[in-house]
Amino acid sequence: MADPRDSGPGQDEAGSVVRPYILTEGRQHADAVQLDMVSVVIAARAEVDEMALEPEQLRILELCRRAQSVAEVSAHMDIPVAVVKVLLGDLIGRGYVLARAPYTTESPVSRDVLQAVLDGIQRL
C-alpha cells in the first residue's frame, strides 16, 4: 500500500519550487554576470572536469557546443530562465562558457531603409 505522505495535495507544487532552489543553491541572481533571455552563450572549451560540475551544468555545456540564447537553453532543459542564468553565471565565472549580448544598433534604422525593405518584399 502506498504511503499517504508521498502523494498529498500540493506535493507537485512543492517539488517544482524546491528543485530550482537546490540547483541554484538558494541564489536568485548570477553573482557577476548580467544575462538576459536573448544573450548568446557558447561553450568556451572542450576539456571539462566532469567531477567539478553538476549534471545540469554538464547538460548546459553540451547544449552550448553550438551558440544558443539563454531562452533556448532554458527551453531545452525545461528549467526556468532565472535558474539557467544562475547556472550559466557559474559556468562563465569558471571559464567554461562565453556570453555576449545580442547585436544591437545604436541608432535606429532610417525610415528610408525600412521602406526600401518593404518595397522589396512586396515585389516578391
Side-chain angles (χ1 to χ4, degrees), residues 36-111:
D36 58 21
M37 289 180 57
V38 293
S39 295
V40 177
V41 292
I42 189 165
R45 51 186 168 164
E47 302 281 328
V48 176
D49 181 7
E50 293 183 11
M51 298 304 291
L53 298 174
E54 297 296 323
E56 292 79 13
Q57 291 173 317
L58 292 171
R59 177 73 176 122
I60 288 172
L61 289 174
E62 183 181 315
L63 288 169
C64 290
R65 288 184 183 151
R66 176 178 142 279
Q68 307 244 0
S69 71
V70 173
E72 289 174 307
V73 173
S74 173
H76 285 296
M77 295 190 61
D78 195 26
I79 295 176
V81 172
V83 174
V84 170
K85 285 181 185 180
V86 172
L87 295 174
L88 280 167
D90 292 345
L91 290 170
I92 290 167
R94 295 169 79 177
Y96 285 113
V97 173
L98 300 173
R100 71 169 177 79
Y103 176 76
T104 59
T105 58
E106 291 184 17
S107 61
V109 178
S110 72
R111 183 174 175 84

Side-chain angles (χ1 to χ4, degrees), residues 117-124:
V117 170
L118 181 60
D119 293 342
I121 292 171
Q122 289 175 341
R123 278 182 264 168
L124 293 174

Side-chain angles (χ1 to χ4, degrees), residues 2-52:
D3 187 345
R5 293 174 290 180
D6 291 339
S7 59
Q11 192 72 17
D12 289 335
E13 293 89 16
S16 66
V17 173
V18 171
R19 183 170 182 251
Y21 182 84
I22 290 171
L23 291 176
T24 62
E25 297 174 357
R27 294 173 292 148
Q28 295 179 356
H29 305 286
D31 294 334
V33 181
Q34 296 293 326
L35 297 171
D36 58 21
M37 289 180 57
V38 293
S39 295
V40 177
V41 292
I42 189 165
R45 51 186 168 164
E47 302 281 328
V48 176
D49 181 7
E50 293 183 11
M51 298 304 291

